[in-house]
């Protein structure tokens, strides 16, 4: 909803309000395996966004008539904690979260080897604990890592980021203030290794050239994110192995 | 839900045709089915349009009511877009509250109208912070033979172009026409077997794994976009789709919206 | 709800506000087979009412525990488009539409040969696109034709109309204005060939004699409607046959 | 749902009896079961009545509250009628939001009261356009042995005949009795094997395919009617039912409502 | 919710507002077998509380996936009639009734011999017709009797009562006025014969000593209630037997 | 639902350990798992706390908004407590509206805060009868390894101890800290094989048939209690649990709430 915008300078002396350059990501922090009960989990911070993702399954699919005889069914639920936003969010799904749940599921779906588990379900849950624009991309990044942590067979990870337009400039990874006063927001998700785009939405106003520039910018950032996701997973496995070894000693 | 044998057969049929460079109905890959737009068919609505794209049929109605503005935009009218995939329109639709497909449909149409700032919402303010016009845009699907988004978006903008504001009903004075500034048009494409098809029909939608809707304005700029489906797209495919989308939107705007 | 009535003359010089006589139907237009996806369909206008009916089935009945081992289950849903009435109607069923759905189903039920399809369901959907009093009767008429168009085995068609009382007179087929300012409304449905009444409701105030007169008036009108329903179906079949023949040539 | 064998047996039993000119409990075809009406059993309600018709038992309570009128009747009070088929009352009832049976029950009772203009709603206006009395009429079914409509309608009118308006609770002055003008009574009949039976019990309801409720006033005029069930009725059957309904309503009014 | 309390004397000259002593129950009336359709039923008045309980089952458990292969599932629903309270209660479950339904079920559960009916369900329904504080305890007492009336195999009856604190005194069985202006409310349920406590809740403010005193007071009252429950059931059976005998004569 | 074999095995394992005087993790019967309380982790909330008890993890956030008071307490603020058992936190939790477990959790926590009069609600009145602060206390469960109540109650009181009232957001002046008077602490115990265990983990909860939560204040008085589960408890067990609960609450208050 771009109508809220009032005149507010978002870029001063070529720098954004938080000091970032146009093509710079916010700080990204990824922790793997943070929950006991979930089969896989990931806690992720992207700037002031705090999200947690959990994966359950493959397990029995309910209701039965929604089972797929050929492949596993992916369920995905994006949810905001009531205190994660400025005005308290009423608990339960709203139209926005229903749409984001669908977009997130479709972003992750292409990398999951679904034929391995016919009739079963894999459930992906994303909880937004604190939000500052970009929660859906943060959630997709976290969910992708949580799927790997759960040992779900995947062809690759999915990485996600938004680009947008503020003060007439195409920039990477909008904050909440930039999103509220900016001219466009374009979240996307990508399989970094193959440059395959699995999610793309656009909201606001962009020329064709701005769009092309933004898409390239987002693709580049996804490669960075991919490396951070990999590093977090490697850190996790090496720690597990250390523990294993210590046990054996 | 769950792939049924008949779905597989239809899918194979569509894919085979396309591999041979063909589409059902003899259409070209970049060609729309026949479109018709009938304005003002519903007396009880302040504006309405019945849109057919091939056998797909959508009725859009706009009602205006007086209500409170949102607290963060006290000087602006409000648009509320809603889509109902009523079970009359398809054996796949079920009764009940909006599911993810109808929510997405409504939100994509809504986004196009907002992104293009098609309605001058400030002119819908009656009394700042207290009273504004609420524009209820209701999308009623009657027959789903694929590409509901383009039909719904076209119905929405066509309905909005001929609104009479019911000032008299609320004892108000003021302009009686809704202030429109832009005519966003949605063009949806799918990728099947490496080919990009404009305006997919129902069978083509099911055969495709990725769909992209591109919403653009009269000057060729973009005001909304949405990929859906569980497949991936390459950068060059997306760029091609965006260019095609802008081009086809121009043709539709010229042919169906200019007369309104 | 008759309480809204204010003093308003509805009959002037023996004519109603739209120029009709007391026993005259509004113009009735019926189109058969208007939808592609539905198994049977009908678009119907009765004066300013515009309704569309679709039939699906016989097909599998969900949920299974609601199946009937001896006969098909008829489901019926009457729904108003949000823009079909003066004040926007919130989407979804309200108490009025729940009752009308039940009355419509029971109006149609007696003509359907239900034992042909045990354990299955036939679904009837009526959408009101524009309303001006009499939508339930318009819907029953359209649904009856749509059932025939879907090839559902039926013993006969069902025809439906309302009578009412305005300015002390019993008249046929009230408009919205007449209904709002009138004294009684009585919708009914009938199997015309056997004069069997399958739906009857009354709302307002009638003497016993007015009731009897009204019932006879409605029954007569149902015979007229029946002929128009038949004509529309015959038109449809002859067109299909023409098409068939042209193909064969 | 779904006919069970025990239902078939019960149905056969009822039909056989009736074919022999008999009814369970030795009742005549036009005879009601024993009726009792206990007024004012619920302290927390402004009016209430517990009605038994044979083993069928219904508790109706009326609460009054102050609220806004409908915009199209600014000078009139509001009636809101609600029925709950709580699962306590029958193995067939389920928890959850009102289904079509409870909606129909509430609406038929409501229609009888409105159609007869039993309550003088204009006298329930406190301040035109702003404040009126809202009459909540809640029908609580306790035991369903058939013919809920007649029991509920009788409970509704009996409750309404003894309302004390709680003016003091809202700091208002004015009359403390609800202005009643009419006493609509509902009489329900079914057709089984060509016979018309008044006041069907549960088994008779299930054996019948058509049911007709006739609501009539003290002067013999009609204020509501509802056919239900998946069968058809002939004109002469309906006329007979209407005449019988008016007659039986007179008897019930005389015996159970006059004393109130 | 104790916040509503205003300064109001609830005890004058050592007597409560309704004339009762501190350790005195309100009048308790129990009728067994009051409903035809239910398998077991009980109408109960405790002072101004009027409740009715019905039991259905053991019967088939729906939905099937919630069946328990080893024992019967107990379902319990506590519900208030809209007119049972001062401000009309909107129909349908609210958070309070959801909690009370759970507490009531758990209060009754320990006496039911659940292994007798694997895969089945026993349904307990409590309707509050008129309320004056203590409806949950009245409901548990009535439900316990209704279960026995339905012939459900039970090891014993469950009896229930609340104690509370008013004007600084621990007293038995609060009325609505006492509850609204009092300092604490503590409903409990007990198997009287074995002094086993099956429900206990506390709300408000009590010292440890007051709590102990209150618990003993409630336990004593449960023994009284137990005798009244037994008497009602015995009355019921002797009446049935009388009828049986008269038939045989 | 429905006992599964794995549940039986876990239950046997827990019971065997306890019969031998032991608990998993080597804990004593009256010993809590490791507790951590992190205050103010959520910027968007007026107060928040992340509490871990062993592997159980709960995030509580408090938001303040201005609204109307209840009509029977016109001079007091309002507390609204809500708990979400989001399916992320346990394979047993499902999406959907609050079920009986989440309702009970929220109500028990709420009762402890109300019973102890922890918040001076009169100080949250802005304008009598018209405007008061509404305190939304939202409990978000992240990982359920048993004893959610104690974690949620501790998170609730910890969040409340550090609230900044957002007066400026509503153009108000006044104190910026929430007036707290008491620090209720919940201690939950179960009975397994005749032994009382404090702070049950998930497996112990499932092995127990009765659970008792005791909420107490700094002076050792009680402000709430709740038994749950389908088992019975003896008077002496309850008395012992109450005494243990008060004692453990003191330790927790001292260690985790005093620093705040």
């Amino acid at each position: 909803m771009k109508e809220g915008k009032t005149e507010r300078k978002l870029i001063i002396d070529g720098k954004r309000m938080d000091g970032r350059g146009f093509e710079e990501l916010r700080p990204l922090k990824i922790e793997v395996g943070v929950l006991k009960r979930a089969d896989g989990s990931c806690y992720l911070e992207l700037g002031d966004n705090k999200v947690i993702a959990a994966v359950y399954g493959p397990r029995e699919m309910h209701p039965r008539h929604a089972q797929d005889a050929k492949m596993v069914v992916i369920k995905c639920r994006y949810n905001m904690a009531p205190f994660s936003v400025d005005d308290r969010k009423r608990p339960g799904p709203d139209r926005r979260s229903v749409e984001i749940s669908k977009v997130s599921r479709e972003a992750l779906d292409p990398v999951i080897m679904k034929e391995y588990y016919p009739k079963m379900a894999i459930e992906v849950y994303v909880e937004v604990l604190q939000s500052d624009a970009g929660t859906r991309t943060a959630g997709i990044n976290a969910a992708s890592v949580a799927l790997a942590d759960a040992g779900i067979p995947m062809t690759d990870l999915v990485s996600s980021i938004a680009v947008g337009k503020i003060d007439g400039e195409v920039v990477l990874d909008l904050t909440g203030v930039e999103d509220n006063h900016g001219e466009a927001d374009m979240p996307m998700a990508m399989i970094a290794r193959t440059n395959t785009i699995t999610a793309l939405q656009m909201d606001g106003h962009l020329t064709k050239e701005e769009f092309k520039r933004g898409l390239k910018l987002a693709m580049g950032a996804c490669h960075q994110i991919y490396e951070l996701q990999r590093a977090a997973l490697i850190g996790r496995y090496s720690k597990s192995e250390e523990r294993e070894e210590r046990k054996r000693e | 839900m769950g792939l049924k044998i008949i779905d597989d057969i239809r899918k194979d049929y569509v894919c085979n045709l396309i591999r041979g460079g063909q589409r059902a109905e003899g259409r070209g890959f970049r060609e729309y089915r026949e479109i018709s737009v009938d304005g003002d068919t519903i007396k009880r609505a302040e504006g309405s349009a019945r849109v057919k794209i091939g056998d797909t049929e959508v009725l859009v109605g706009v009602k205006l009511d007086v209500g409170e503005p949102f607290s963060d935009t006290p000087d602006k009218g409000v648009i509320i877009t809603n889509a109902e995939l009523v079970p009359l329109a398809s054996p796949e639709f079920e009764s009940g509250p909006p599911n993810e497909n109808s929510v997405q449909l409504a939100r994509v149409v809504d986004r196009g109208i907002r992104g293009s700032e098609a309605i001058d919402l400030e002119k819908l303010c009656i009394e700042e912070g207290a009273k504004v016009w609420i524009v209820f845009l209701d999308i009623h699907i009657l027959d789903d033979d694929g590409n509901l988004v383009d039909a719904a978006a076209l119905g929405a903008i066509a309905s909005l172009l001929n609104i009479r504001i019911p000032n008299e009903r609320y004892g108000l004075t003021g302009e009686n026409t809704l202030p429109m500034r832009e005519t966003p048009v949605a063009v949806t494409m799918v990728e099947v077997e490496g080919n990009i098809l404009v305006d997919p029909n129902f069978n083509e939608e099911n055969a495709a794994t990725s769909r992209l809707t591109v919403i653009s304005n009269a000057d060729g700029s973009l005001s909304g976009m949405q990929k859906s489906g569980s497949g991936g797209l390459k950068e060059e495919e997306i760029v091609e789709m965006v260019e095609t989308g802008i081009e086809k939107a121009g043709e539709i705007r010229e042919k169906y919206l200019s007369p309104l």
Side-chain angles (χ1 to χ4, degrees), chain A residues 34-38 43 48 50 52-54 56 59 77 79-92 123 125-132:
Chain A
V34 295
L35 299 179
K36 180 181 183 191
R37 301 297 304 282
Y43 173 77
D48 268 351
K50 298 183 179 185
I52 189 162
Y56 286 91
R59 60 180 180 178
R77 181 183 186 257
N79 185 50
M80 294 191 113
F83 44 74
S84 65
V85 281
D86 276 332
D87 291 325
R88 176 179 184 262
K89 196 206 153 284
R90 281 174 54 126
E123 293 158 41
Y125 297 107
V126 173
E127 293 290 326
V128 176
L129 307 180
Q130 182 172 290
S131 83
D132 188 40

Side-chain angles (χ1 to χ4, degrees), chain A residues 1 10 61 88 107 125 128 131 133 138 145 157 166 170 175 181 183 197 203 214 216 225 227-228 231 238 244:
Chain A
M1 321 219 174
L10 295 170
M61 173 73 191
R88 176 179 184 262
Y125 297 107
V128 176
S131 83
V145 171
L157 294 173
I166 56 169
V170 174
T175 62
H181 300 274
E183 292 118 73
I197 291 154
D203 191 5
K216 278 209 188 303
I225 292 166
E227 293 308 322
L228 293 168
S238 55
E244 284 296 300

Side-chain angles (χ1 to χ4, degrees), chain A residues 138-187:
Chain A
I140 292 170
N141 288 328
S144 172
V145 171
L147 281 163
D149 182 42
I152 305 295
M154 294 158 80
T155 57
D156 212 330
L157 294 173
V158 172
S159 309
S160 179
I161 198 68
V163 289
K165 188 162 86 172
I166 56 169
D167 288 359
E169 300 287 345
V170 174
V171 303
L172 189 70
D173 188 19
L174 302 190
T175 62
V177 171
E178 289 175 335
D179 189 31
N180 288 338
H181 300 274
E183 292 118 73
D185 183 32
M186 184 167 89

Side-chain angles (χ1 to χ4, degrees), chain B residues 10 25 41-48 50 52 55 57 59-63 80 82 84 86-93 95-96 136-140 142-146 169-170 202:
Chain B
R10 277 208 202 106
E25 308 142 21
T41 56
I42 301 299
K43 268 192 189 179
R44 304 269 168 269
E46 268 75 69
S48 64
R50 193 163 183 159
K52 295 194 71 165
D55 282 316
E57 187 171 352
L59 183 58
V60 178
V62 175
K63 300 278 297 179
I80 293 174
N82 182 62
E84 289 216 71
V86 291
L88 167 124
S90 165
E92 275 88 22
F93 296 167
S95 303
F136 287 100
L137 208 159
D138 283 293
I139 299 165
H140 219 71
L142 299 180
D143 212 357
D144 174 17
D145 193 32
R169 198 195 300 155
Y170 296 89
F202 180 76

